[in-house]
Amino acid sequence: MAGLLERIRRANRPPWHAMSVADARRAYEAAAEVLEPPRPTLPRVDELTIPAVDGTPLPARLYAPATGDARLPALLYLHGGGFVLGNLATHDALCRELAQRSGGAVLALDYRLAPEHRFPTAVDDAWAALQWLAAHAAGLGLDPARLAVGGDSAGGTLAAVAAILARDHALPLALQLLITPGTAPAPETPSHRLFGHGFLLDAATIEWFFDHYIDRDQRHDWRFAPMLADDLEGVAPACVILAECDPLVDEGLAYADRLRAAGVAVELDLVRGVTHDFIKMGRVLKVAPAAQQFAADALSHAWRAPR
């Protein structure tokens, strides 16, 4: 990991917060899968659209590791990128890996991004997609009784929020998969100070993401910071994957603790010696495919559990 960070430093790439949003998006997409192994080939990859609450068609992509009569369980996956960057292409390889490794389908959502669409649009899009998946699963050859929601980074935040909304609306989920999620209203934990500079996700970039996404007077809304939700009892079991050298690690651990205190089953993988976004670096980090397999095993186990 240290060697990789040094190579990134020598490349002298401008940080996201020094770019325009348009330039940052192009650079993020160009670099998104450079450190990943070749994409797995799957027998089914379908391009779909899902209606947002306001009727806007949201692009989505369904990955399935098998075709046939048996209905597959399904994961709604929400990509990372600080609510500003990312799309279906940037997380294509990861979604393919999760589908192949878990034996279930993965539905990736291209939710709307800030600053064009500020908070809570991304939350609303994620929740609309989860409801749509539950209602249309059977028609897609999926099992509506075996659904999960997940994501990385900002997508992990959205997945945690969607899991709370699912509980509140009696939509049963088998699992919430939270990969290096943000859960707190402000970057104030010790890990933000310790890893806020030189560990891939810098403090200035986090603030750039937040400023584009949400007004300061809204940042104590639990839909932005799920740590602030009044009650977590009864939400879906959680698989939480964290990186030791990540500014977000403390709030990820704290959220896992809150879930456990509320009686929610939690599987935690704290991956030592790596930074934020490590799970998409499988070409150079052996722990990346191991973490993908940890996530896939948690999904497989949850989908097999008695309902």
Side-chain angles (χ1 to χ4, degrees):
M1 188 77 249
L4 178 57
L5 290 177
E6 176 60 20
R7 292 196 295 275
I8 292 172
R9 187 193 66 77
R10 289 201 305 266
N12 202 29
R13 176 186 61 82
W16 307 127
H17 62 267
M19 300 184 192
S20 69
V21 169
D23 286 345
R25 286 175 179 164
R26 283 190 289 268
Y28 184 75
E29 184 168 354
E33 297 191 342
V34 168
L35 299 177
E36 297 200 79
R39 300 172 181 178
T41 299
L42 298 175
R44 181 183 177 191
V45 179
D46 297 340
E47 304 296 332
L48 307 172
T49 58
I50 296 173
V53 172
D54 62 5
T56 299
L58 304 175
R61 185 175 294 159
L62 179 66
Y63 305 86
T67 57
D69 296 332
R71 289 184 178 178
L72 293 174
L75 165 71
L76 173 66
Y77 195 82
L78 306 163
H79 67 77
F83 309 103
V84 176
L85 313 176
N87 53 38
L88 297 179
T90 61
H91 286 64
D92 183 75
L94 178 58
C95 289
R96 288 171 180 265
E97 289 284 358
L98 290 174
Q100 185 178 67
R101 291 174 183 273
S102 70
V106 174
L107 178 65
L109 177 70
D110 199 359
Y111 58 88
R112 288 174 287 182
L113 299 175
E116 298 90 341
H117 303 281
R118 291 172 65 83
F119 175 85
T121 302
V123 174
D124 293 341
D125 287 354
W127 174 233
L130 187 57
Q131 292 176 293
W132 183 92
L133 177 58
H136 293 82
L140 295 169
L142 309 176
D143 186 350
R146 293 187 294 161
L147 302 180
V149 66
D152 63 287
S153 193
T157 306
L158 295 173
V161 172
I164 298 171
L165 291 169
R167 177 208 56 190
D168 293 346
H169 291 81
L171 194 167
L173 296 176
L175 190 75
Q176 53 178 315
L177 172 61
L178 311 180
I179 302 171
T180 60
T183 66
E188 295 174 345
T189 64
S191 63
H192 276 281
R193 294 189 292 274
L194 185 59
F195 301 116
H197 302 282
F199 293 86
L200 201 65
L201 179 62
D202 284 350
T205 294
I206 293 173
E207 196 56 39
W208 185 79
F209 286 147
F210 284 7
D211 285 345
H212 281 306
Y213 178 56
I214 187 169
D215 295 341
R216 289 185 179 274
D217 62 3
Q218 295 179 300
R219 294 185 188 181
H220 280 76
D221 189 314
W222 69 267
R223 295 172 298 168
F224 170 68
M227 180 74 72
L228 302 181
D230 289 337
D231 177 24
L232 296 175
E233 184 177 0
V235 301
C239 173
V240 182
I241 298 176
L242 305 175
E244 182 185 18
C245 305
D246 182 355
L248 305 183
V249 66
D250 284 351
E251 59 197 77
L253 287 168
Y255 193 68
D257 285 344
R258 269 214 67 196
L259 289 169
R260 285 181 172 138
V264 177
V266 176
E267 292 184 77
L268 174 66
D269 188 13
L270 175 58
V271 184
R272 301 294 181 177
V274 295
T275 70
H276 195 79
D277 219 27
F278 80 95
I279 203 164
K280 296 175 81 277
M281 302 177 187
R283 189 185 295 272
V284 292
L285 298 178
K286 292 181 180 179
V287 293
Q292 293 172 3
Q293 192 62 51
F294 185 88
D297 290 346
L299 286 163
S300 299
H301 177 77
W303 285 328
R304 290 195 307 268
R307 302 298 296 164

